Amino acid sequence: MYPLPNLHRAPGTAAPPQEEVDPSLQALESRQEEILKRLYELKSAVDGLSKMIQTPDADFDVTNIIQTDEFSPLSTNGADLDLMLGKDYGALKDVVINANPSLPPLSLLVIHSLLCERYKILSAVHTHSSVKSVPENLLKCFGEQTKKQPRHEYQLGFTLIWKDVPKPQMKFSIQTMCPIEGEGNIARFLFSLFGQKYNAVTSTLIDSWVDTAIFQLKEGSSKERGAVLRSMNAALGKSPWLVGSELTLADVVAWSVLQQTGTASSAPANVQKWMKSCENLAPFSSVMKLLK
C-alpha cells in the first residue's frame, strides 16, 4: 500500500515538492474522458431511438407533417403546361402510350380522365399490328371521341396504342425524350401535370405507396399482398386517403392494382370503404365500366 500523505505539517515548514505528472498519463486520462463523453452521447441517442420504436404513436410527428401539408384539389384551374413541359411554339404537346390490352393500365386511364377535367385534351385510341384483337370496351376506353376543334386549340394530345409490349411505355416529345417504362413511372409523369406541390415527407410516402402497389401488391407473393393490405388498412384508419386528406397518386395506383389483381373483394374493412370513396369519383367509375 502507498503511504498516506502527512496532512499535519508544522507551521513554517515547506511543503514537499509535488511529483511531476507523466505527459503520457495525462494524454491517457484525456482520451478516457473523451471516450466516456462519446459513450454517454451514444447511450442518449440509443435511448431516444428505443423510445420511438416502442411507442405506438411513433409516427405522430410524420402524421402532423402530412396533415399540415398544403393540398390543392385536383379540380382547380390547370397549371401552366408550358412551364412544366417546355414551350414548343404553341404546338400540341403529345403523350403516346403503348400498353398491352391483356393487362390494361387502369391507373393511366383514371389519370387521363382527371386530366380531361383540367385541360383540353385531344384523345385517341389505336391498335398496333402486333395485337390480333382488342375488346370493344378498350377500344372505346376514352369514350366517344368527336373532334370538334382544330388540333392546335388543344393543350395536350393523349394517344393510347394497344400493343404487344411486356409493360406500358410512354413517349413525350419523341425527338428529345427517352421512353418511360412501367405503369408506376408513367403515372408519376402524368400526375405531375396537375402541378401539385408536396413537402418532402409527403412526396416520399406517395412514392413509397406507388412502389409498394406495383412491386408487392401487383407482382409480389400472396404473403406480400397480405402484408400490404394490412398496412393499407392501418393507414386508412387514420385518414380518408392513403396519404393525408386529399386524393393523391398513391390512391390512383393502389386502387388500380387492386382491380387488376382481383384482390379488391377480399380487402379489409378500411380498404373497402376507401375503394368506395374512389369509385364515387367519376374518373374511377368510368374505368370500372371497362371491367364489366
Side-chain angles (χ1 to χ4, degrees), residues 96-112:
V96 180
I97 296 174
N98 295 323
N100 199 315
S102 64
L103 190 62
L106 302 183
S107 67
L108 307 185
L109 302 181
V110 172
I111 296 174
H112 169 267

Side-chain angles (χ1 to χ4, degrees), residues 174-188:
I174 298 175
Q175 294 84 358
T176 59
M177 185 176 183
C178 294
I180 296 176
E181 289 196 347
E183 185 174 347
N185 292 326
I186 298 173
R188 286 185 178 98

Side-chain angles (χ1 to χ4, degrees), residues 239-255:
S239 61
W241 303 99
L242 282 175
V243 183
S245 58
E246 296 289 341
L247 176 80
T248 67
L249 177 62
D251 301 290
V252 174
V253 174
W255 178 88

Side-chain angles (χ1 to χ4, degrees), residues 56 68 109 129 137-138 146 201 238 240 248 256:
T68 56
L109 302 181
S129 58
N137 59 343
L138 293 183
T146 55
V201 172
K238 298 177 182 178
T248 67
S256 300

